[in-house]
Amino acid sequence: MNGKWKAPFCTLLVLYSLLLSALFQSCYSAFHLPRPIWKKQQQKSGSSFVFPLAGNVYPKGYYQVTLEVGQPPKPYSLDIDTGSDLTWLQCDAPCAKCTPAPHSLYKPNKNVVMCKDPLCTSLHWPKNHPCHGLDEQCDYEVAYADRGSSLGVLVKDMFPLRFTNGSIVVPHLVFGCGYSQEVPASTHPPFTDGILGLGNGKSSIVSQLSGLGLIRNVVGHCLSGQGGGFLFFGDDILPSSGIAWTPIVRISSEKHFSLGPAELFFDGQATGVKGFPVIFDSGSTFSYFSSEAYDILVSSIKKNINAKQLTDAVDDKSLPVCWNGSKSFKSVNDATSYFKPLTLSFMKAKNVELQLQPEAYLILTEHGNVCLGILNGTEVGLGNYNVIGDISLLDKMVIYDNEKQQVGWLPANCNRLPISRDHGEYYYDAYPTNMGIFEQICPAKFDSSKQQARK
């Protein structure tokens, strides 16, 4: 019996080995896809990338998106920021100074970007950034208005992404490997792995995707007042009408979105504040007005308040200006009837206004009080700039169109992911946070790795 079955068993073993080899080769090759050469005309395809967001204005203080990076891909949570252009991850290079984060540090693997790379030059422009050798790496340091910073080196790695039409691409993109982060002692750092820079510089992820011909250079967000929302790259999901557009005003080397001068109205009445420059910044939790505009705003609000209904909540230190009612408020909506709307009228566009209802400038604190979510920007070093932050952008689809050099907005339901024009009127794209991309490519391998990650 043993001699009779020996040959067939060996044959089956060989065939089984070949089958396994083919299976693992297909899984392995998913991580080593050749860098594709995308044609410029693919920008005409109209596809977009859509990502769900997590977070809120208060008490969390930021909105974050989860992207997968590397080979094999690993998830990283990033604070979305239209006020800067460089994306960076906390990095084991090794890390000299890193803050607590939800995922393990990114590990570079011989993928450093060289100093002579055009993206390195654009990141440091207009400053002179001399390169002293062909093998010199591209170092970076970015500083933020809150006096936080990140120091590191540029690297390039794979970003698996899914279009709204279902197709998958894995481009190589440049980002920062941050091995030293500074956080002011007075602030609580966001519990994220880094920052997703969405400004209009060439080093932003959106600009790189556009340069590869994958999307148009358009980015937008919809931040829900209930928490969460969505982020999108590309212009496929934009509604055909109803968007209020105003041009982007370019100021020297600045990479944020400046909308130029505006006039401030309180309850439809002119406040006398004119010509103050406005910036939209999703990386800012609250809005900030320069001292003059801030003082006039606070004075206008306090004059309008009925002292029998609201009193100053001097014991509530959540924010500088707070009020309490006859009983604790359960939601911001409980207090909005005591306040009046604000309006910003943009002087670079005809009849374009940003309406800020009370819920767009008030927060509810844990003490049941409401506080003014517009702060004095001059006191924190913003000079004459006026920053419109997350609190004032809630429940609006905000679009930053770098190709047409304009910013637009319209009211929106940010609790639902947007309709894709690729699929018709009633199709709602639903993308899980990790998009399920690599489970489709190699289910067994990635299910195993995810189970290990949860342990």
Side-chain angles (χ1 to χ4, degrees):
M1 293 291 292
N2 289 342
K4 182 177 179 181
W5 290 99
K6 185 173 183 180
F9 177 77
C10 292
T11 303
L12 289 173
L13 184 61
V14 170
L15 290 174
Y16 182 66
S17 300
L18 289 172
L19 179 63
L20 284 179
S21 175
L23 176 62
F24 281 104
Q25 177 62 31
S26 65
C27 294
Y28 180 79
S29 63
F31 300 114
H32 296 275
L33 300 174
R35 181 172 181 175
I37 302 174
W38 287 288
K39 298 179 181 179
K40 287 293 183 181
Q41 56 263 34
Q42 284 184 305
Q43 285 188 335
K44 306 295 185 182
S45 65
S47 286
S48 299
F49 302 113
V50 179
F51 313 92
L53 295 175
N56 54 49
V57 168
Y58 186 86
K60 201 165 189 177
Y62 57 93
Y63 285 81
Q64 67 186 54
V65 63
T66 299
L67 298 180
E68 292 184 334
V69 182
Q71 44 178 327
K74 295 181 180 179
Y76 297 96
S77 299
L78 302 170
D79 185 357
I80 65 170
D81 182 18
T82 59
S84 63
D85 62 336
L86 179 67
T87 293
W88 56 265
L89 297 175
Q90 296 199 102
C91 182
D92 186 7
C95 190
K97 191 172 186 180
C98 285
T99 60
H103 301 102
S104 59
L105 298 177
Y106 172 81
K107 291 182 179 292
N109 183 25
K110 300 179 181 178
N111 55 344
V112 172
V113 172
M114 295 296 103
C115 178
K116 291 187 178 295
D117 190 289
L119 277 181
C120 183
T121 303
S122 68
L123 179 65
H124 291 93
W125 187 84
K127 294 181 180 179
N128 184 26
H129 184 65
C131 299
H132 304 290
L134 294 177
D135 58 348
E136 183 180 351
Q137 66 186 25
C138 180
D139 298 312
Y140 79 86
E141 182 173 11
V142 290
Y144 301 95
D146 63 359
R147 297 178 178 83
S149 65
S150 175
L151 177 68
V153 60
L154 292 192
V155 295
K156 180 181 285 189
D157 213 333
M158 302 170 76
F159 280 69
L161 300 169
R162 175 183 294 199
F163 283 114
T164 53
N165 64 15
S167 61
I168 297 169
V169 291
V170 191
H172 287 70
L173 302 175
V174 173
F175 59 98
C177 165
Y179 51 75
S180 181
Q181 279 61 248
E182 292 292 339
V183 179
S186 59
T187 64
H188 298 287
F191 189 62
T192 61
D193 300 296
I195 287 181
L196 179 63
L198 300 173
N200 54 35
K202 292 182 180 179
S203 62
S204 79
I205 294 296
V206 178
S207 293
Q208 292 182 62
L209 291 170
S210 174
L212 291 171
L214 290 173
I215 58 169
R216 295 189 183 278
N217 198 343
V218 177
V219 61
H221 54 70
C222 199
L223 310 178
S224 173
Q226 299 175 28
F230 60 86
L231 172 74
F232 60 91
F233 303 161
D235 64 351
D236 179 52
I237 66 169
L238 300 186
S240 57
S241 62
I243 304 174
W245 293 103
T246 188
I248 297 172
V249 177
R250 293 294 185 196
I251 304 176
S252 64
S253 63
E254 293 175 354
K255 299 174 182 178
H256 48 244
F257 294 99
S258 175
L259 279 60
E263 183 175 2
L264 176 64
F265 293 83
F266 178 80
D267 194 23
Q269 302 298 313
T271 62
V273 177
K274 294 183 179 181
F276 69 138
V278 174
I279 293 170
F280 275 23
D281 181 8
S282 68
S284 176
T285 306
F286 302 113
S287 293
Y288 292 85
F289 284 2
S290 60
S291 286
E292 178 189 5
Y294 176 78
D295 291 341
I296 291 175
L297 172 64
V298 172
S299 176
S300 299
I301 292 175
K302 288 189 173 182
K303 286 179 182 178
N304 180 73
I305 285 177
N306 186 334
K308 294 181 180 180
Q309 296 173 320
L310 294 176
T311 56
D312 291 344
V314 293
D315 295 331
D316 194 335
K317 305 301 181 182
S318 302
L319 287 175
V321 180
C322 300
W323 298 273
N324 52 35
S326 57
K327 58 182 180 179
S328 295
F329 295 114
K330 301 298 182 183
S331 72
V332 167
N333 291 332
D334 292 341
T336 53
S337 61
Y338 304 127
F339 296 87
K340 301 297 182 181
L342 309 178
T343 304
L344 290 176
S345 179
F346 293 94
M347 302 171 71
K348 292 290 184 179
K350 187 176 181 180
N351 300 323
V352 174
E353 297 178 339
L354 176 66
Q355 303 285 343
L356 300 180
Q357 298 298 325
E359 55 267 29
Y361 64 81
L362 295 173
I363 67 159
L364 177 72
T365 74
E366 59 185 4
H367 307 292
N369 303 319
V370 290
C371 297
L372 179 62
I374 299 176
L375 310 180
N376 190 327
T378 304
E379 290 183 352
V380 297
L382 294 178
N384 291 324
Y385 285 115
N386 300 271
V387 174
I388 303 302
D390 292 347
I391 188 172
S392 302
L393 300 175
L394 296 177
D395 300 313
K396 299 177 179 68
M397 179 185 282
V398 182
I399 309 108
Y400 308 86
D401 188 334
N402 291 303
E403 297 201 358
K404 296 182 179 179
Q405 292 293 291
Q406 59 185 1
V407 173
W409 58 87
L410 76 163
N413 180 0
C414 299
N415 297 313
R416 302 179 72 177
L417 293 183
I419 297 174
S420 167
R421 293 201 298 263
D422 287 341
H423 300 292
E425 183 178 0
Y426 298 107
Y427 185 97
Y428 281 82
D429 295 302
Y431 301 131
T433 300
N434 62 9
M435 297 179 289
I437 290 175
F438 282 93
E439 288 89 335
Q440 295 179 11
I441 296 177
C442 186
K445 188 177 184 69
F446 284 90
D447 284 348
S448 173
S449 64
K450 287 191 172 185
Q451 291 298 326
Q452 292 176 2
R454 293 191 183 105
K455 292 180 180 179

